[in-house]
Amino acid sequence: STRSILSASLLLLAMMDSTHVSAFRSTFHANTCRRSLILHSSPESSTPVPPPSFTTNEDFNEELSRITKNQRFESNKSSNLDGYDNPNPSAYIASPDAENGVVKCAMEADALLASAIQSESDGTLSFQLDRESYNAVIKGWMSVVSHLRIKKTNAYIANQMITIQNASDRAEAWLSKLETAGARMSTSIPEGGVNPLAPNLESYNYVFHALCDTRASDAAEKIEDLVKRMLKYYQVLPDKRSFNRILEAWSYYGGLNPSPQKSMIALERVRRALREMKSLYAKTGDENVKPQTATYNYAMKALDRHMMGVSNVAAGGGRDADTRAVAEIALEIQQLLEEMLANYDVGRGDPDCKPDISTFMSVVNAWIKCGSDVFPEAPCATEAEAFLKQWQQLYEKTGDNDFRPSSASYMIIIEAWSKRSRFDSVAAKKAEELLHHAEHLSATNKNPDLALNVHAYTSVINAWSRSRDYNKAKRALKILRYMNDKYKETKDEMIRPNMWTYNSAINACAMCQGDSTQQGEALKISFAILKAIKASKKEVANHVTYGTLLKAANNLLPPGAERDAILKAIFENAKKDGQVESGILLQLRNGAGAETFHAITEDKITLIEGGGPPTNAARTNGRGRNRPVTTVDEEKIPMEWRKALIMKKEDNGKSKLWEK
């Protein structure tokens, strides 16, 4: 009823920020003026639209509907063009069947309505426009925003560029025109009558969608301002689509790198919007405002997006306070999932609250983010793995494929353990155990579609490489052999070792810190891996391989003739393969004396002593803060020494030599 809608509107307004009526009205009129300017300064349609010759509003709206359907047809045609992978967007921007078709339809509807409004102003229009006329045009521009967002490009009409922001501004401008027309019409509507030009929920939701799709940092604030307007002046209640757009828009608040203050604002607004939605549903019982799976997912996304911002403004300060504040948000995200599971009650409760793969991954990603480079010592890989096991148990209990942990979830946590292995003595072991646990689940059909790829195995090798285990070289070799054996058995390309895998295993050898016997074994293993690469028909040693081998010789052998001979042999191989670059030359210089270096390089390389600022590594560990470093001018390296690198660069990574 009107009374219940008004009551709910007042309730929602009370829960939102209080705003003085005079200030609110001045903002409303300022926005209206701004959008009117946008509306009248927009690009014209490439085909002039004659004054409308329709006799009824139904005919007019039917024509607008036809244009909208045509817009969907144009969008479907352009979707066949692979906009995601096309390296040259202009290849399909210029196509009349692509973006231009979608925009032209919106402009045609835009011009048609503008012409009708002009005829109405002249007194020559034979029918009354209504909100559906405006909604069709607003929806048209919303569709342009969505289409350009998906295609990640702009469109060009009559030498004018149409951007996502342009299209969103057009949608806003037409909503303002509708609000103005509705306000004017309301003065002639008798009490209890229906205003055909009053904006409805669709009018606002189209604009909310357009604003959200701009990913603009101020989109959330604009949407909330519009919510206040539709509540205050039209008693239009937001629905779940409105709330979803608000939650999603707050995730973009502050841009790509929001300030801590903006993150704090966004986090509080997300929590408040979710509370308002739950409260409104509890008081009205209206299914249209009931939080659903998408609602929770958008809330989780926004919380995750801004969780790192709280670290810089955590109450009490200090690293412990920062870590705790971030972990509390990760726990908050997990609690939202638990709330959904309680509401869903494994199919016996609310089906609209059933978590999906995005919901579960939001929790995993939140815990992993806690253990990022900002807080590497935080025990969040432990929390993430504990949650993953609960997730797997839920799947085994229910047999519901929507609850099945994905391969990505296991790989993310393995990578998290790998990064922790620098300072956690058990992290590398945990990474390998989780890898084999995933294999066991797949083999025993407890998670049959679980398939880990080369990335997961290489992450485990990296975990051992970063660890302080003196037998890391043997452990890395064991995994590499296991991958090779499994590949030979299954012919599964997903687990075939690639150059990243081989180089990571060599790096594990180079980082060995055991006694002389262990280091000697590590050096032998590194050359055995090089031999395996040479024997491979699908991989070729690259500059990273040779640079890491030089590092291994430098780290594992004492200075002397033996080390110089090995360094020379490695360098000669790099020269022969055309893989010499500055990093290799600097590693060679670090291990060999100046005289030996010039002899090995045949006096063709001139080092620039003190040629650059200190390295990032030097800054990180406090050494060499003001000490300049040695550099090499790569352009002066003989062409034949770096021919493979040149070919790879010129062919964008598709050099025949590189693929041999």
Side-chain angles (χ1 to χ4, degrees):
S1 67
T2 304
R3 183 179 296 276
S4 63
I5 292 176
L6 181 58
S7 175
S9 302
L10 293 173
L11 166 69
L12 200 52
L13 274 173
M15 289 190 289
M16 302 180 77
D17 286 339
S18 59
T19 308
H20 293 296
V21 174
S22 59
F24 188 84
R25 285 177 175 167
S26 65
T27 304
F28 170 76
H29 289 303
N31 287 338
T32 300
C33 292
R34 182 182 70 83
R35 292 179 187 118
S36 294
L37 286 173
I38 293 171
L39 188 62
H40 292 295
S41 62
S42 63
E44 294 297 328
S45 174
S46 56
T47 305
V49 177
S53 57
F54 305 97
T55 58
T56 66
N57 176 252
E58 288 76 14
D59 290 341
F60 182 73
N61 287 345
E62 186 177 337
E63 175 63 11
L64 289 174
S65 177
R66 183 196 65 77
I67 295 171
T68 302
K69 288 179 181 178
N70 194 38
Q71 187 181 42
R72 288 198 297 271
F73 171 70
E74 294 291 344
S75 178
N76 291 335
K77 283 199 300 183
S78 64
S79 66
N80 294 326
L81 296 165
D82 200 350
Y84 291 108
D85 299 326
N86 193 334
N88 180 19
S90 63
Y92 59 82
I93 289 174
S95 169
D97 293 332
E99 280 65 32
N100 291 0
V102 177
V103 178
K104 282 180 179 178
C105 288
M107 294 179 71
E108 183 182 350
D110 187 300
L112 186 61
L113 181 56
S115 179
I117 292 173
Q118 183 60 49
S119 297
E120 185 178 52
S121 176
D122 297 340
T124 59
L125 194 67
S126 61
F127 57 88
Q128 172 67 55
L129 295 170
D130 62 10
R131 73 172 69 89
E132 298 308 320
S133 311
Y134 287 83
N135 284 353
V137 178
I138 295 171
K139 183 181 180 182
W141 286 112
M142 177 206 74
S143 298
V144 171
V145 174
S146 297
H147 186 77
L148 295 182
R149 167 60 57 193
I150 291 171
K151 289 297 180 180
K152 301 179 182 179
T153 187
N154 299 316
Y156 295 85
I157 303 291
N159 297 322
Q160 296 188 57
M161 183 171 67
I162 307 297
T163 67
I164 288 175
Q165 191 61 55
N166 294 153
S168 176
D169 287 344
R170 293 288 291 162
E172 275 194 271
W174 276 112
L175 177 61
S176 263
K177 293 286 283 184
L178 176 57
E179 287 177 326
T180 302
R184 189 184 305 117
M185 173 67 74
S186 65
T187 59
S188 60
I189 298 293
E191 185 175 352
V194 177
N195 185 345
L197 283 171
N200 62 4
L201 184 59
E202 271 194 338
S203 314
Y204 289 99
N205 275 341
Y206 289 151
V207 176
F208 295 165
H209 194 114
L211 284 168
C212 194
D213 267 358
T214 65
R215 307 292 196 265
S217 62
D218 61 346
E221 292 175 313
K222 286 184 175 181
I223 293 174
E224 287 204 347
D225 284 343
L226 287 171
V227 169
K228 292 173 185 176
R229 281 202 341 230
M230 74 184 204
L231 285 168
K232 193 173 188 71
Y233 294 107
Y234 300 101
Q235 289 78 53
V236 176
L237 287 175
D239 65 357
K240 57 194 173 191
R241 293 174 299 170
S242 315
F243 280 105
N244 288 350
R245 296 289 78 78
I246 292 171
L247 291 168
E248 184 183 8
W250 278 116
S251 67
Y252 307 121
Y253 183 63
L256 293 175
N257 297 296
S259 66
Q261 291 73 23
K262 286 189 178 293
S263 287
M264 291 295 288
I265 292 171
L267 289 168
E268 182 51 40
R269 295 294 183 89
V270 168
R271 293 171 182 136
R272 190 182 68 184
L274 195 55
R275 285 197 307 268
E276 290 169 358
M277 191 175 184
K278 292 176 183 177
S279 177
L280 195 60
Y281 175 59
K283 290 182 180 296
T284 65
D286 186 353
E287 290 290 315
N288 287 322
V289 292
K290 183 177 71 174
Q292 297 183 328
T293 301
T295 308
Y296 285 98
N297 285 347
Y298 284 127
M300 290 178 177
K301 175 186 175 183
L303 291 172
D304 177 82
R305 172 78 170 74
H306 291 284
M307 67 186 296
M308 299 309 294
V310 303
S311 64
N312 298 318
V313 289
R319 196 166 184 81
D320 290 340
D322 294 348
T323 307
R324 189 164 54 251
V326 174
E328 284 173 356
I329 296 178
L331 181 60
E332 182 180 357
I333 292 173
Q334 182 168 335
Q335 287 170 343
L336 286 176
L337 169 63
E338 291 168 357
E339 180 182 319
M340 293 176 70
L341 287 171
N343 291 337
Y344 178 61
D345 193 20
V346 194
R348 294 185 293 272
D350 185 358
D352 293 332
C353 278
K354 182 182 181 181
D356 58 16
I357 186 67
S358 297
T359 320
F360 287 101
M361 286 303 295
S362 291
V363 179
V364 173
N365 287 327
W367 283 118
I368 294 302
K369 187 175 285 189
C370 289
S372 66
D373 293 338
V374 180
F375 306 119
E377 73 281 7
C380 295
T382 305
E383 297 288 349
E385 185 172 344
F387 170 74
L388 181 60
K389 289 179 178 177
Q390 293 174 13
W391 183 5
Q392 176 66 31
Q393 289 168 2
L394 178 65
Y395 168 60
E396 292 177 17
K397 177 182 176 181
T398 63
D400 190 334
N401 285 335
D402 290 339
F403 292 161
R404 185 175 60 210
S406 63
S407 301
S409 61
Y410 280 88
M411 288 192 281
I412 288 171
I413 299 174
I414 288 170
E415 179 66 20
W417 279 121
S418 178
K419 290 180 178 179
R420 285 182 55 81
S421 59
R422 291 189 183 93
F423 46 83
D424 189 335
S425 59
V426 301
K429 184 180 179 182
K430 288 280 190 182
E432 187 167 350
E433 286 176 350
L434 185 57
L435 175 72
H436 293 313
H437 177 65
E439 290 180 325
H440 171 74
L441 291 173
S442 178
T444 57
N445 283 325
K446 291 184 177 180
N447 195 336
D449 294 333
L450 200 58
L452 301 187
N453 59 21
V454 64
H455 179 92
Y457 291 90
T458 307
S459 291
V460 175
I461 292 175
N462 282 330
W464 286 116
S465 176
R466 296 173 178 132
S467 74
R468 298 174 184 176
D469 191 297
Y470 291 162
N471 292 311
K472 62 175 71 177
K474 290 182 178 179
R475 294 185 184 277
L477 180 61
K478 181 181 177 182
I479 296 170
L480 185 58
R481 283 175 171 170
Y482 175 77
M483 292 176 68
N484 266 316
D485 291 344
K486 195 169 182 179
Y487 170 65
K488 289 176 182 178
E489 178 186 345
T490 64
K491 303 301 180 183
D492 184 357
E493 288 291 326
M494 288 183 64
I495 59 170
R496 180 177 63 81
N498 57 21
M499 280 315 302
W500 182 39
T501 313
Y502 286 114
N503 290 340
S504 295
I506 294 173
N507 190 56
C509 299
M511 301 300 289
C512 181
Q513 297 175 334
D515 57 30
S516 58
T517 301
Q518 290 168 322
Q519 289 187 328
E521 289 177 345
L523 188 62
K524 289 179 182 178
I525 290 172
S526 68
F527 283 106
I529 294 171
L530 176 63
K531 185 177 179 180
I533 296 171
K534 296 281 188 181
S536 171
K537 296 179 180 180
K538 296 191 176 184
E539 302 296 338
V540 59
N542 57 27
H543 64 286
V544 178
T545 311
Y546 292 114
T548 311
L549 282 167
L550 289 169
K551 182 171 73 170
N554 289 339
N555 291 349
L556 304 175
L557 290 172
E562 182 185 8
R563 184 165 83 176
D564 288 349
I566 290 177
L567 291 174
K568 180 178 180 181
I570 296 170
F571 183 74
E572 290 298 326
N573 270 274
K575 277 173 53 181
K576 180 182 176 182
D577 289 348
Q579 297 285 352
V580 177
E581 46 85 57
S582 60
I584 286 177
L585 292 168
L586 293 175
Q587 282 287 355
L588 180 63
R589 177 64 183 84
N590 288 341
E595 184 177 341
T596 305
F597 173 82
H598 288 296
I600 293 175
T601 58
E602 305 166 10
D603 282 326
K604 293 182 179 180
I605 300 297
T606 302
L607 298 176
I608 307 171
E609 302 291 344
T615 62
N616 288 334
R619 290 193 189 97
T620 301
N621 55 35
R623 299 191 300 273
R625 188 176 301 277
N626 298 309
R627 186 178 65 195
V629 298
T630 302
T631 58
V632 175
D633 185 352
E634 291 201 9
E635 295 301 319
K636 293 184 179 179
I637 300 173
M639 294 282 286
E640 63 271 19
W641 291 11
R642 54 190 174 97
K643 58 187 177 184
L645 296 172
I646 294 171
M647 290 176 66
K648 181 175 185 290
K649 184 176 180 180
E650 290 177 349
D651 295 345
N652 194 26
K654 296 181 180 178
S655 161
K656 291 181 180 179
L657 179 63
W658 192 256
E659 291 177 346
K660 282 184 180 178

